[in-house]
Amino acid sequence: MSGPAAGTADAATSTDVVCLGESMVTFLPSQPGRLADVPSFGRGIGGAESNVACALAAAGHRAAWVGRVGADGFGDHLVETIASYGVDTSAVRRDPARPTGIYFRTATDRGTDTHEVAYYRAGSAASAMSPSNVPYEELFAGRVLHLSGITAALSADCLALLRDLTAARPGRPLVSFDVNHRPRLWRDGEADASVLLELARRADLVFVGEDEAEEAWGIVGAEAIRAALPEPAVVVVKRGSAGATVFASGLRPGPRSFAAGDAAGAGSAGAGGAEGADTVTLVPALRVDVVAAVGAGDAFAAGFLSATLRGLPVRERARHGHLMAAAVLTVPGDLTDPPARDHADRLAALDDEAWGRLRLGPGWTAADRAPEEVRTP
């Protein structure tokens, strides 16, 4: 391996999930419209991996975020804000020569033609991450290491880092990988689709949107996506308003795995085992009165990981993902406080008919009501 020797993660570790990636200061518009017409912006933070860390910490887990920021005011703001959610930021490195990335976005849905994002991240401190300058001992100290395809797109060094972190080796923690296909981030001439497929196949748990799998790989349908990703023990195919399909198997040869029936969830020791047949679980999405469709994918991953760490069944893992996503969808920014654990547990335990009746709107996470009352007209 090209980085320092990896430590062995076990159930006694002090960290549940370590998230690696770039976080940026994001400027949110004061009103809808083109970037050229918006008169002012509010300051927030954005970053897929730090979003996951913040959501997990807010949900009561021990989460750490590892990244690089500039030795500037924006870097100060990022580290202080992420830490305010209860995230361990002690392994974040400051780069005196490169700036913290920033970006501006419009208020419209990312999936519409009117959505605009202006990134100022080229040459950022995070793009200089490599196997030689990140703290492997901190990265490998948790029960789970969460990564995303965004990091691979930042630079050749960042791609080398992700390849190294996803390589099979003794003592590697469970690797969670969110494909997060962002075509505009990739450098000219790079085969982003094949790289993302390579990295996903080396992970233990994969999150991928049905739409991005079609865009990146030309693969249509959840079954075909699973066929293209045979190695991960768990593949979560996000299907938008249709919900999520989870493919989960027994232990497979290679790194540790999220076994479908493993009550211990993450952090189980050992490597390898007989390949088991998939269990396929379709979990419908919730009806949500959407305020802003940003950050929902990160929140879903955090909810699924949270329930996995707690050893909940697959259906409840996906339902907690939907609930965490609904919390973010009903606020303007990328982050919000999740529902209280007992509140989320009550909703996740509803029967299928009651789950299908739920409709969540702004403010639902603060509701202290019976599950059947947590809905809007």
Side-chain angles (χ1 to χ4, degrees), residues 29-368:
S30 58
Q31 63 186 47
R34 301 185 311 153
L35 287 178
D37 301 327
V38 174
S40 60
F41 297 81
R43 185 178 65 174
I45 66 169
E49 302 84 2
S50 60
N51 284 348
V52 171
C54 289
L56 283 167
H61 296 283
R62 298 160 299 186
W65 172 63
V66 178
R68 287 177 72 86
V69 299
D72 49 32
F74 287 145
D76 294 341
H77 175 66
L78 276 176
V79 174
E80 292 167 5
T81 303
I82 293 170
S84 73
Y85 281 84
V87 175
D88 180 357
T89 58
S90 60
V92 176
R93 300 295 189 258
R94 309 300 291 264
D95 191 323
R98 297 175 178 86
T100 303
I102 64 173
Y103 74 100
F104 296 78
R105 67 170 173 82
T106 53
T108 50
D109 187 342
R110 182 179 289 157
T112 69
D113 292 336
T114 58
H115 182 69
E116 298 174 74
V117 179
Y119 288 110
Y120 298 90
R121 72 197 305 179
S124 69
S127 70
M129 290 189 296
S130 75
S132 65
N133 65 13
V134 297
Y136 273 58
E137 61 277 11
E138 278 88 356
L139 287 174
F140 281 47
R143 298 167 65 188
V144 179
L145 173 61
H146 181 72
L147 309 168
S148 98
I150 294 173
T151 304
L154 299 180
S155 68
D157 282 342
C158 284
L159 174 54
L161 174 61
L162 257 64
R163 281 181 165 142
D164 197 44
L165 291 174
T166 56
R169 59 166 62 94
R172 188 188 86 171
L174 293 163
V175 172
S176 165
F177 182 75
D178 194 332
V179 171
N180 264 329
H181 183 226
R182 300 286 187 269
R184 288 187 296 173
L185 294 182
W186 287 86
R187 300 160 297 283
D188 291 342
E190 289 193 324
D192 55 321
S194 62
V195 166
L196 292 174
L197 188 61
E198 169 200 343
L199 294 172
R201 292 182 66 175
R202 293 156 66 123
D204 302 305
L205 165 63
V206 174
F207 299 98
V208 59
E210 201 170 38
D211 54 348
E212 64 184 347
E214 182 175 2
E215 180 184 28
W217 304 324
I219 299 172
V220 179
E223 296 282 351
I225 294 170
R226 176 50 159 167
L229 298 170
E231 295 86 357
V234 176
V235 174
V236 182
V237 180
K238 297 175 292 183
R239 305 175 61 205
S241 60
T245 300
V246 184
F247 299 87
S249 72
L251 291 174
R252 296 171 181 269
R256 303 173 192 174
S257 181
F258 287 97
D262 180 10
S268 57
E275 181 174 337
D278 271 340
T279 60
V280 183
T281 307
L282 173 60
V283 182
L286 291 159
R287 291 181 296 161
V288 179
D289 295 334
V290 176
V291 173
V294 292
D298 305 330
F300 181 95
F304 193 96
L305 284 170
S306 172
T308 299
L309 288 162
R310 297 170 58 202
L312 299 183
V314 169
R315 186 188 74 157
E316 277 66 33
R317 298 181 196 188
R319 282 190 170 187
H320 277 276
H322 287 316
L323 289 165
M324 196 83 85
V328 169
L329 287 169
T330 50
V331 298
D334 291 20
L335 291 168
T336 189
D337 290 331
R341 181 172 289 185
D342 60 345
H343 183 190
D345 283 345
R346 289 199 306 270
L347 296 180
L350 291 174
D351 61 39
D352 290 343
E353 182 179 355
W355 177 264
R357 290 198 306 266
L358 285 180
R359 181 169 178 175
L360 306 179
W364 76 268
T365 59
D368 186 17

